[in-house]
Amino acid sequence: MEPATHEDSKETDHIKDADDDKINKEQLDINANEGPSIEKGHEKVDAGDEKLCVQQENINIQEEGQGDQDSKQQGDQQQTSEGDTKNREQLENEKNIKNVEETNKDASAIINVEIKEKPKQSAEEVRHIDNDTKKSHHKVHRSKPTPVEKDSSFVKEVKREAKRVEDRLNPNRSHPSKPKKVKKGIFVSYSPDAGFLERKFVVETVRQLKENNLAEDIWFDKDEKNTDNPCWFSQRMEAVEKCRAAVLILSDSYFMCPVSVYEGKALLERQMVDASSVKVDLVLFSSLEETEIPRQYNHLLRTMVDLTAGIHAKKSLAEKTSVVIGSLMEDLEKYAVINSPPVPYTPPEHDFNGEYKKKKICQWSVGDLQEWLFKLGIKEFYRQSLAEGMVDGFLLMSVTDQDMIHHLGIESRVVRKKIMQQILLTLDKEHKQPDNWHLRARTQKSKSNSVYLVYDPADVRLAQNLKADLLKKGLQVIHHQKLGQSKEEFLQLNGPSIATATYVLVILTDSATNSPFVFHEVLFSDWLGKKIVTAMFHNIWHSLRPALKAVLGECPSVDFETKLYGESMDVLEHHIKPLRSVPGVVLEQAYLNKMADGLKPLGILANSTSPTEYTSDEAEPRVFISYQWDMQSKVEDIKRLLEANSFLCWADISPTMTQRGHSSMSTRSGHSHVDSSETLQSQIQRNMKAAAVVLCCITPKYMQSDNCVKDLTLAETLHKPIVPVMLRFCPWPPEGAPSQVRKIFVRLPSPPIDLSNEKLFKQNIHVVVERIRKVIVVPK
C-alpha cells in the first residue's frame, strides 16, 4: 500500500471537518426547534441575561477573527499545491462558509433561548458555555466567514417575545416606576378672600412650621402652585378629605367665603363619622364682628388658639405667629410622617433676567416682584419696603391702598396709584391668556332655561331619558361630551358648556358615589356660581364623599326615589321654570304647597327630616322668625326660649351662603345665593300665612339682604304684625335700607328691642316674650 501523501491527509481532514459541521448543524437545528418551547416554559426573565447574550455574541466575533487568521495561514501553505487540489478545496470552503453562516445564526438564537431559560447561572456555568462556544468555533472557522447577522428575523422575534413575557411577568422591572410620593398629611385651611394682613399671617405660620421639620408634611395651596388652576377648588377639597390633621385660620372672612366654609364642613363631617380620622386645630386670628363661630365647632373651642383676647391681642404679627407655633407644634408633630429638615433660605437674586414675564402674578417670587417694580420705575426706597415685608405675588393679590399705607409704609399717593393700576392691567392681560379659560367662564352669560346634566358615565341611559323629558318641557339640556385623559383636560373640554347653563342638575345614583366626573363637575359648577339642583334617584347620602356633602347638603333636591316620576318632574320643572300664574286662588295655594313639599335640601331629604312645620290649624299660635344667616346661632337661642314659653315658632334653619367675597378664585356669584332662599319661597309663604306674628331680627346685613325685602313685604301684604328685635346695632330708622323696607319700619308702633350683646340679651329677652304675648292670645 502506498503511503498517504500530504494532500490526501489534508483532504481527509476536510472531509472529517465537513462531517463534524453537518453534525453540529443538525444539533443546532434540533436545539433551535426546541427554543420556542423553552421560551414558553420559562416564568421569569432576568434583565442581566440580555447583557450576557451580547457578551457571548462579541466572543463569537472575536473567535471569527481568530478563525480568519488560521484560514490565512492555511491559504499560504496551499499556494504550493497543485491546481486541481486548490480548486477542489475552494469549492469545499464555499460550502463551509455557507454552513458557518447558518450555524452562527442558529447559535445566536440558541444562546438567547437557553440563557433566558436559566436566568440565574453561576460563574462556572457561564465559563463552561464560553469554552464550549470557543471549541465549536475553533472547528468551524477555518476560512474567513461573513459577519454574524445580529438582527436576523428569528433573533428579533425571540427578543420581542422575551420582552413581552418580561413585561407581563414583571412590569415594574421593565418599566421602573417613580417612587410613590408620600401624601402630605397636614392641611392649612384659610379664606381665599382674606386681606393682606391675614394672608401674611398664614404665610408666616406655614413658613415657621416648615422650619420645624414639617416642610414636606404641610399642604398649602400657595406652595402647591395651583391657585391659577381650574382644578384649584377640587384639589383643595381632595386634600381636605385625605389629611390627618388640619389648621383652620378663623376670621370673619373665613365664615363668609364658601370655599373655607366647605372645608370646615367637610372636616367636621369626617370627625362625625370617625373622631380619630382627622385632628382639627382652630386659630382665631381676628375678632368676629359680622359672623359667629357655628355651634358645630363648639367641641373644638376648648383647645382654640385665640389671638384676639388678653395679651395676644396687642402682639405683633411675628409674635402671634410664634404663639401659634408654640401651641400647635407638639400636636402636629404626631401627624407628620416625613419630618424633612428645613430648606435653607436663598435670598432673591439681584440680577434681573425677565423671568417674571413668563409667570402669572400669583406665582411671582419676591425677586420677580422686585424686577417688575423696577421696570415700572418705582424708586428703590419703596421697592425695599415690599422686599423687607417679603411680599410676593401671592400677597400682592390681596394688597389694598390702605395696606400699602399702614403695613408697607408707602405714603406716596402717586406710587400707590401707579402700582394698583399696573396690577389691574397685568391681571387683565392674564385674563385673556388661553389657559385662563376658566376665569373667562365665570363672566360668561348663561342661557335662559338651560340645564347642564352631571352624571357618571355608567348612568348614561338614565341621563338620556331624563334629557328627553326635559326637552319636552321646553328646556335646553347639555352634558359632557368627552372625558379626556386627565381632570384638567376633562374640565377644559366640558367647563365652557357648564358656564353657558343656568342650572346644574346632578343625578345621584350608586355610580355617583365615588365618581371623579361627578366630583369635579359639581365643584367646578359651584365655583362658577351655578344654581345646583340634585335629582335623588337613590339615597347615597351616607356613602357620599365629605366634600360633596359640604357642597350639596344645602342645595335643593327632588325625590325621584320614593315619589312618582311624573310628580317629581313637575316639581323639577317648577323650580327651573316656574309658572307665572295658576288660575284660581285655591288651586294656586294647593299647587304651591305641592311644589314646596317636593323640594327640600338634600341633607334634610336624605335623612327624612325637615325644618319644623305645623299643620294649618289657625287656632294654634305661631311665630315666624325672619333673619339673616350670619346670626343663626342667636336665632336658635331665641327660638328655644319662645318655644319654652309655649310659642310655636317657624324658622328656616338651614345655612346658606349669602355674602359675596372679592376673590375671583373662591366665591359663588350673587344670584346663586339669592336662589338658595328662593327654593323655600313657597314654604315660607305657607308658614307666614299660618303665623300670627312675624319676629324680625335686624342686623346691618339683614337690612341689605333680599330675605329682608321679601319677608317684610309678604308680612305687610298678609297684614301680619311685626315685632322687631336688634341683634346687631343699627341706627334707627335705618338709613342704608331700601326705601320699601324703611317705610315699613317707620310705620311700626314701637322701636326694635335691643339684643345686640349678651347683657342686653339677658335683660330684654322677657320684653320680647311679653310683646309677642300681647299679639297672640295663648289658649289656656
Side-chain angles (χ1 to χ4, degrees), residues 373-393:
L373 294 172
F374 176 78
K375 297 294 183 181
L376 294 181
I378 304 299
K379 294 182 179 180
E380 185 178 359
F381 173 78
Y382 299 114
R383 299 202 310 268
Q384 191 65 25
S385 298
L386 276 76
E388 290 176 355
M390 298 296 292
V391 178
D392 55 8

Side-chain angles (χ1 to χ4, degrees), residues 476-610:
Q476 302 180 36
V477 183
I478 49 181
H479 52 79
H480 62 248
Q481 299 294 334
K482 297 180 181 180
L483 301 181
Q485 300 295 326
S486 63
K487 55 188 176 184
E488 289 82 5
E489 185 179 356
F490 174 70
L491 288 180
Q492 187 171 2
L493 292 171
N494 303 290
S497 298
I498 300 176
T500 61
T502 304
Y503 287 88
V504 173
L505 179 60
V506 185
I507 299 177
L508 295 182
T509 63
D510 291 330
S511 302
T513 305
N514 295 309
S515 172
F517 307 104
V518 174
F519 179 81
H520 291 292
E521 283 186 314
V522 167
L523 294 186
F524 188 72
S525 300
D526 185 89
W527 181 78
L528 287 177
K530 297 301 175 181
K531 306 170 185 178
I532 301 178
V533 190
T534 59
M536 192 179 73
F537 284 89
H538 192 269
N539 190 348
I540 58 172
W541 177 258
H542 297 292
S543 57
L544 209 59
R545 296 175 62 167
L548 289 181
K549 284 186 178 181
V551 176
L552 297 178
E554 306 302 330
C555 293
S557 180
V558 182
D559 185 5
F560 281 84
E561 183 179 29
T562 61
K563 303 293 184 181
L564 294 177
Y565 181 81
E567 294 180 359
S568 299
M569 284 299 298
D570 291 340
V571 173
L572 181 61
E573 180 189 12
H574 176 75
H575 176 68
I576 297 176
K577 189 179 178 182
L579 298 177
R580 294 181 179 269
S581 63
V582 180
V585 179
V586 178
L587 292 177
E588 179 181 359
Q589 186 60 44
Y591 180 80
L592 293 176
N593 292 345
K594 182 179 178 181
M595 295 300 102
D597 291 339
L599 196 67
K600 298 177 182 177
L602 177 62
I604 295 176
L605 180 63
N607 292 295
S608 300
T609 59
S610 61

Side-chain angles (χ1 to χ4, degrees), residues 163 173-174 211 246 285 354 369 426 464 506 618 663 737 744:
K163 188 69 174 174
R173 190 130 186 182
S174 298
E211 289 178 354
F285 172 73
L369 179 59
T426 305
Q464 292 295 339
V506 185
E618 295 298 333
S663 171
I744 295 174

Side-chain angles (χ1 to χ4, degrees), residues 687-698:
N687 284 279
M688 188 176 287
K689 285 181 180 180
V693 63
V694 174
L695 183 67
C696 179
C697 301
I698 299 173

Side-chain angles (χ1 to χ4, degrees), residues 113-151:
V113 173
E114 289 180 346
I115 291 177
K116 292 175 182 178
E117 170 63 17
K118 299 178 180 180
K120 296 182 180 179
Q121 290 181 328
S122 63
E124 294 182 359
E125 291 175 338
V126 174
R127 287 196 295 270
H128 179 68
I129 292 175
D130 292 345
N131 293 334
D132 291 345
T133 307
K134 289 180 181 179
K135 290 179 181 179
S136 62
H137 282 279
H138 181 69
K139 290 183 179 180
V140 224
H141 296 285
R142 292 189 177 274
S143 61
K144 186 176 181 179
T146 57
V148 179
E149 297 183 16
K150 301 180 185 178
D151 297 331

